[in-house]
Each structure stands twice: as structure tokens, then as C-alpha cells.
Amino acid sequence: MSGLVEIRDVSKRYVRGRQTVEVLHHISLDIQQGDFLALMGPSGSGKTTLLNLIGGLDAPTSGSITVGGQRIDTLGGNALAKWRAAHVGFIFQFYNLLPMLTAQKNVEVPLLLTKLSAAQRRQNAKIALQLVDLADRGTHKPSELSGGQQQRVAIARAIISDPTLLVCDEPTGDLDRQSAEEVLMLLQLLNREHGKTIIMVTHDPRAASHATHTLHLEKGTLAEASVAA
Amino acid sequence: MKYLHLVWAALMRRKSRTVLTILSVLAAFLLYGLLDAVRVAFNSGGTIAGVDRVVVSSKYSIIQSLPESLVARVAATPGVRKVTWANWFGGYYQQPRNQLINFAIGADYFDVYPDYGVTPAMADALARTRTGVLVGKTLADRFGWKVGDKLPVMGSIFPDKATGETTWIFDIVGIYEAPDAASRALEQQVLLNWKYFDEANAYGSGQVGWLVVQVSDPQRSAAVAAAIDALSANSDHETKTQTEQEFNLSFARQMGDIGLIVTAIIGAVFFTLMLLTGNTMAQAVRERIPELATLKTLGFTDRSVLALVFLESLLLILIGGVLGMALAAALLPVVSAASGGMLLLPPISAASWAIGIALMIAIGAIVGVLPALRAMRLRIVDALAGR
Ligand SMILES: Nc1ncnc2c1ncn2[C@@H]1O[C@H](COP(=O)(O)OP(=O)(O)OP(=O)(O)O)[C@@H](O)[C@H]1O
Ligand SMILES: [Mg+2]
């Protein structure tokens, strides 16, 4: 059975001066449409590296990555950028919002790369903000929002162009328990109600418990696969 | 243009820095606008056609004098209505910083120059008093001179033949007022009798500095000028007949090549500006590495990130530059008016605007290129990890 994301024999090596470090070793993995995958593992095990490869932010040293039937490991910089814009929503530990723009404008940024009119962009951003329960915070700058609210703005931005995949790197890593729970519930909702495929790196077993699957990465190798509740 | 608000947001990220940078760009282009007008003023002597007064001076140098005998020959030239002449008499009053504009003037000077507002009675008084001088009201007010006062002038070129001294004592016989504001600069002058000057100065007589000719028909002034210059062709005192404006400028040009000076100043200013704004832009991009990486993550191509930073640099310079030149345009008439007609600065021409804007774009591009390239080459994974 082939998945939405097919990772075949992927290795990633970094060259640092004379030293070559292999961070990922021959990883093969399928992620199905509608999965909510939690990726766990000790610090330095290569979680972020793997996530960046799946999200098309970096290219593997060897092996192939196919998403929705398209090889992304062979795409060039521009094609990869366009592919990301169309297919991936990113959520980071530190939100990565643009500090000078309001929440509403932040959410609109990915739509600048589409053909949508200004009015349509505004409309869509409003809907996305509603979905993350921040309809009344559209005019606020990130500095005027709490961490949890900022992360929800980031989620709204990630889903605005209806991507194939949501890629999250420790989305609750910087949040208190309450806010973390809200964010996780939101991701779960997006997964269950909207059928979004989500890949989430986390250190927190509680966060992982919201996922449908959990994988462990140890020193660049997938250690163990388990199916959560 | 839908990206413009991103560029604007980037500029507003550090408002005070942006404002200060824009102010320095503004100052540089204000200077450019003003100095360029000075350059244009000094390089355009105006055309001779249509003017009714022309000045005849030595072809080679305005400080070389001409024989007095030329006056009669020029007067006999067809198309010439009236001829007068003058000589420069350099000197100061009391202290070297009080430099005076002294002219020894020939007969009929005020017929040719009604602009001075010298009355026939005043002209008469001057003619009757060998050591007399007429002074302009502005100058007289400045030093508190009155009619009847003795005016000692320290001559800087010509010693008195009788005394060997360079101090000349004159009698103020009249104070004239220029009738219209445009000629107010004439009130800065001291006018003395050429005859007295010619007899009394130790450097020989029978010499005039330049001739001023009134032509009968301004439409023919170019032809008359040619005829006058033909009188002394191949002699030891060849002449050049030109407009008054051109003649006045040749005085100023003795100070040096104004165009070169202006270019040098502007060049130095723009060089400094580039270092300053270049540093600002480099800093602005360095601070924003995570944001630029985020934009790339969201799908902005390397080239569009390059364009954003480039645009930011251009916008920074264009805003300051256009404001600066607009301010210069507004100030030019004020400067001209304040000079009382001494310095007639033309408004900023379309060509100067075009060059100014081209300079802004060039500076914006030069300043923006390195930061823009840096933004373009940014590797997302490294930037996100803070490497
Ligand atoms: N560009 C790079 N150059 C050199 N080494 C790198 C680079 N990127 C990652 N590494 C190394 O690869 C290893 C895995 O890094 P990665 O960021 O994927 O770990 P991680 O599992 O996400 O860790 P954490 O839980 O701390 O975020 C680390 O040892 C890291 O130093
Ligand atoms: Mg990581």
C-alpha cells in the first residue's frame, strides 16, 4: 500500500569542514493520507532534519521522497518553493510570525503567492482566524498576543492555502500546558474534521497522545513504530 | 505591488533608524538640488540674441584691459546706440573682510544702466567731483555712510600715483536706490570717476577694463557683437563680446571650475551616503534573517526575497531623495530672492530631476545589492536553526 508521503532509503549527511556527519541513515517510511503522526526521539536524533526533508525545506543526500505522487527530492530551488507554497503548511516552536504585520496580515502572507484578489485574501484570512478562534484578534500584532494565540495565528497561516500536509516542529515546545492543550486540540480537529495529514515532532508524550501514530527516531534511525489510541 | 506592504513593514521595523536614514538621504539630495542649480546657473551664460546690452572684454582674460581708443571705434560701429566702459577697482573698507565692489565708470554709464536708479543730479555731482563716488543704499546702510562723508578705500590692486599709497580717499556725493527688487544687488557697489582713476593710478593710463554696449536692435545683437569683435581681430587686444550674465559669470569662474567643484562635493556626499545607507541596509537584513527565512519557508522564491530587499533599499533612497529635491525646488526661489539678484538660480530642470532620480536608483541599487544577495542565498534550514 502506497502512502501520501513515501520516504525510500533516505540518508542525510552534513559536511563540516573535513568531517562528514550522517544524521539520517537509510530511512524508509510511509505516511498515509489523514494520518496524524508524532515523531519523537532524543535531542539530536534527526527529527527536525527529517521533518525539513518531508516539508521540502532541504534535500536528502540519497534516497527519494514522494509526496502525493510527486518526487520532491529532485526539485530545484524555485520549483521546491512553489511546491511548498501549494502543499505544505509549517508550524514552528517559536511561531515565526512577521512581527510588523497584524495577525490578519500574517495569515494572508501565503496568499500573496496566489492569484487571489486582496478582498479574497482578506476574506479567507478571516475564515482561518475564525477557525482558530481568534476572529477578534485580527488587528493585533504578534507582540500583543500570548504565545498560545501566536501559535494559533501560525496555524491559521499554515492552513490558509489548504495544504496537503501540515508539518509541525515542537508546536507546543514553548507553551504552557493550557495553551499547549488548545493547540493540540486544534491540530486534532484539523486532522479529524478536515482530514489534514499532520506530521508533528515533539518531546512531550502528552502531545504525542493526540496523534494517531507515533514514531521514534534514535540516532538517525527509526527505532520503533507504534499505533496510538 | 501587493508585496509593497511587506517592504514597508520592513522599513517601519526600526522607525527611528529609517527616519534618520531618510533624513540623511534627504539632506544629500537637497544639496544635490541646490548645487546642481548653481552649476546650471554658472554654466549657462544665456544667449546673446534678444539682449540689448552686451559686454566687450579681452578675449583671453577679463583681467586684461583694453585701450580706451577702442571706445570711439565701437561707438562708430553700425547697430551700436551707446557705449560706456568701466574698470574694476578692488578694495576694502577698514577691514579686508569688508570687500567692496568698486567700479571706475566712464561717461554715459547711467544712460546704458538705468537699472541703478541714479538720478541726473547724482550723475552730475559725480562728474563734477573728481574724487566723488556714488554708493548703493544697501551698502551705505550697512556701514552708516551719508552723503558728504569721506570714504577711505584700501585699494588691493592700484596704488595712488601721487602718494604711492594704496589708500584712496573718496567723497560720497550720492546714494542711489535701485528702482526694482531684481536689481537690488546693484546697491552693493561703489562707483567712481574713471577719469580720476585713470589719471591717479600708478599703473598707466588710457586703459579700460571692459566696454558696455547698448545695441539699437536687440534682434541684431549677435551680428553687432561679431562686428565689434572684428574691430580688434588680429590685434594685441582681441575682444570677446558676450551677454552681461556670461560676463558676470566669468568673474565668478575665476574662483575655479564651479562644475568640477560641485561634482566633487556631490560625489563626496553621495559616497558618504552610500556607506551610511549601505550599513543601514546590511544591518536591517541581518536583523531580519529569521523573517526572511520564514518567507522562504512559506514559498517565496529566492528571487522574490532578493527583490523585496532590493525594493526596500530603493524605496529608502527614493523617499529621501525625492523629498530632498522637492525641498531644494522650494528653496531655490527663496535663495534667489534673498540674494537680491546676485545669484539667479534656475528652477530644477526636468533633466536634473531625471539625473537625480537616476542617481537615487543607482545608489539604491548599489546599496541594496549585497544585502539582497545575502537574503537570496539564505539557506532556510540554517536560518531557522539560527546557524
Ligand atoms: N546544517 C547542519 N550542519 C551540520 N550539522 C547539522 C546540521 N543540521 C543538523 N545537524 C546535526 O544533525 C543532528 C540532528 O539535528 P536535528 O536538528 O535534526 O535534531 P533534532 O532531533 O531535531 O534535535 P532537537 O530535539 O534538539 O531539536 C544534530 O547533531 C545536528 O547538530
Ligand atoms: Mg529539532
Side-chain angles (χ1 to χ4, degrees):
Chain A
M1 175 182 158
S2 66
L4 176 69
V5 181
E6 296 173 13
I7 299 170
R8 293 288 175 272
D9 201 29
V10 160
S11 295
K12 180 67 183 175
R13 279 186 291 274
Y14 289 109
V15 183
R16 268 274 162 86
R18 302 177 150 215
Q19 233 178 331
T20 303
V21 197
E22 185 162 293
V23 178
L24 297 175
H25 319 290
H26 305 285
I27 288 192
S28 291
L29 169 66
D30 276 10
I31 301 167
Q32 306 303 324
Q33 168 78 48
D35 275 2
F36 184 169
L37 175 69
L39 197 55
M40 299 188 74
S43 187
S45 56
K47 304 182 294 295
T48 297
T49 304
L50 181 58
L51 200 68
N52 287 345
L53 293 180
I54 297 171
L57 292 178
D58 204 356
T61 313
S62 63
S64 71
I65 300 174
T66 310
V67 178
Q70 184 175 16
R71 281 283 293 267
I72 61 163
D73 56 292
T74 51
L75 291 179
N78 274 352
L80 203 54
K82 294 213 168 72
W83 178 81
R84 283 197 302 273
H87 295 286
V88 192
F90 291 90
I91 298 160
F92 299 102
Q93 179 174 2
F94 298 108
Y95 333 124
N96 290 30
L97 299 175
L98 302 180
M100 292 304 295
L101 301 185
T102 62
Q104 160 92 23
K105 288 286 179 197
N106 260 291
V107 175
E108 280 183 38
V109 169
L111 297 183
L112 293 175
L113 300 169
T114 66
K115 290 194 167 65
L116 293 184
S117 71
Q120 282 170 309
R121 294 199 297 267
R122 213 172 310 129
Q123 188 58 31
N124 289 9
K126 280 217 170 86
I127 294 170
L129 278 174
Q130 250 156 28
L131 195 70
V132 300
D133 202 20
L134 285 174
D136 54 337
R137 296 305 175 103
T139 58
H140 290 227
K141 296 255 179 80
S143 57
E144 300 158 2
L145 298 171
S146 73
Q149 288 169 332
Q150 289 186 62
Q151 193 60 298
R152 274 146 59 204
V153 173
I155 293 173
R157 180 179 68 183
I159 59 173
I160 187 84
S161 38
D162 195 23
T164 315
L165 283 178
L166 281 185
V167 159
C168 322
D169 198 348
E170 302 187 36
T172 58
D174 200 44
L175 297 178
D176 61 75
R177 226 161 111 180
Q178 171 67 30
S179 305
E181 189 61 24
E182 282 169 18
V183 163
L184 290 164
M185 292 306 287
L186 189 54
L187 290 176
Q188 204 165 42
L189 175 94
L190 289 170
N191 174 248
R192 287 186 184 160
E193 308 289 318
H194 301 266
K196 289 288 162 206
T197 307
I198 302 177
I199 303 150
M200 173 177 74
V201 165
T202 184
H203 281 289
D204 180 6
R206 207 193 322 261
S209 72
H210 289 77
T212 54
H213 302 66
T214 301
L215 284 176
H216 286 270
L217 204 55
E218 298 272 2
K219 292 182 181 158
T221 314
L222 283 174
E224 159 202 342
S226 64
V227 179
Chain B
M1 277 302 102
K2 61 183 172 181
Y3 298 141
L4 203 61
H5 78 279
L6 292 179
V7 176
W8 187 251
L11 284 175
M12 288 300 109
R13 204 170 179 278
R14 291 248 189 279
K15 273 203 198 71
S16 52
R17 182 177 67 200
T18 299
V19 167
L20 285 177
T21 308
I22 285 179
L23 278 179
S24 50
V25 179
L26 186 152
F29 277 91
L30 170 64
L31 200 64
Y32 163 76
L34 294 177
L35 285 183
D36 193 60
V38 170
R39 185 186 59 78
V40 170
F42 274 77
N43 285 340
S44 66
T47 71
I48 202 162
V51 299
D52 68 337
R53 261 190 322 232
V54 293
V55 179
V56 184
S57 59
S58 163
K59 185 175 178 179
Y60 304 105
S61 163
I62 54 165
I63 56 168
Q64 197 170 318
S65 52
L66 299 170
E68 190 204 347
S69 58
L70 193 61
V71 174
R73 296 175 65 207
V74 169
T77 306
V80 170
R81 175 179 288 161
K82 206 140 227 169
V83 186
T84 186
W85 65 94
N87 230 327
W88 171 250
F89 177 75
Y92 60 86
Y93 174 63
Q94 290 176 340
Q95 289 167 20
R97 64 187 176 88
N98 299 331
Q99 285 295 333
L100 298 175
I101 304 166
N102 309 301
F103 295 124
I105 55 170
D108 298 337
Y109 195 75
F110 301 113
D111 293 344
V112 178
Y113 280 114
D115 331 34
Y116 280 85
V118 167
T119 61
M122 263 188 243
D124 226 42
L126 180 64
R128 275 187 280 104
T129 320
R130 266 171 58 84
T131 56
V133 287
L134 298 179
V135 298
K137 183 167 186 310
T138 309
L139 194 65
D141 287 350
R142 183 171 153 212
F143 293 115
W145 297 335
K146 292 182 300 298
V147 174
D149 283 1
K150 292 251 179 247
L151 175 62
V153 172
M154 321 301 150
S156 48
I157 308 174
F158 304 103
D160 189 317
K161 197 156 58 180
T163 60
E165 294 274 336
T166 53
T167 306
W168 295 58
I169 311 287
F170 296 110
D171 294 293
I172 298 179
V173 296
I175 293 176
Y176 60 87
E177 262 179 87
D180 67 290
S183 318
R184 193 87 352 125
L186 296 177
E187 290 186 7
Q188 302 280 359
Q189 302 178 2
V190 175
L191 304 171
L192 55 127
N193 277 314
W194 179 81
K195 229 188 193 86
Y196 170 57
F197 165 79
D198 192 53
E199 289 164 9
N201 95 72
Y203 288 163
S205 54
Q207 298 287 310
V208 302
W210 61 89
L211 279 57
V212 186
V213 175
Q214 190 171 39
V215 297
S216 324
D217 178 5
Q219 297 314 309
R220 296 198 54 249
S221 53
V224 174
I228 292 171
D229 289 341
L231 292 176
S232 53
N234 301 318
S235 73
D236 62 350
H237 56 269
E238 286 192 275
T239 61
K240 176 169 150 195
T241 301
Q242 53 193 341
T243 64
E244 288 178 282
Q245 193 185 359
E246 178 71 22
F247 177 71
N248 290 341
L249 291 177
S250 32
F251 257 110
R253 285 199 195 107
Q254 283 191 290
M255 294 186 300
D257 184 339
I258 299 287
L260 193 70
I261 293 169
V262 165
T263 308
I265 295 174
I266 292 289
V269 167
F270 283 164
F271 181 73
T272 314
L273 183 70
M274 276 194 270
L275 293 184
L276 196 124
T277 48
N279 186 46
T280 303
M281 279 306 297
Q283 215 176 331
V285 164
R286 206 177 315 126
E287 286 168 2
R288 275 209 326 280
I289 296 264
E291 290 162 48
L292 294 168
T294 301
L295 287 178
K296 286 194 178 184
T297 303
L298 297 178
F300 282 70
T301 57
D302 291 349
R303 219 170 317 137
S304 45
V305 172
L306 171 115
L308 283 178
V309 174
F310 211 67
L311 212 61
E312 181 180 334
S313 170
L314 284 182
L315 203 62
L316 191 70
I317 307 283
L318 276 170
I319 291 174
V322 169
L323 286 178
M325 283 188 70
L327 190 60
L331 282 179
L332 282 173
V334 179
V335 172
S336 295
S339 79
M342 288 248 270
L343 190 61
L344 288 178
L345 295 175
I348 298 179
S349 65
S352 293
W353 269 104
I355 293 170
I357 299 220
L359 275 170
M360 293 170 210
I361 291 172
I363 293 174
I366 293 169
V367 159
V369 68
L370 284 180
L373 281 177
R374 177 171 187 185
M376 183 185 92
R377 295 199 184 117
L378 201 66
R379 279 175 42 86
I380 300 173
V381 289
D382 290 341
L384 286 178
R387 271 189 286 269

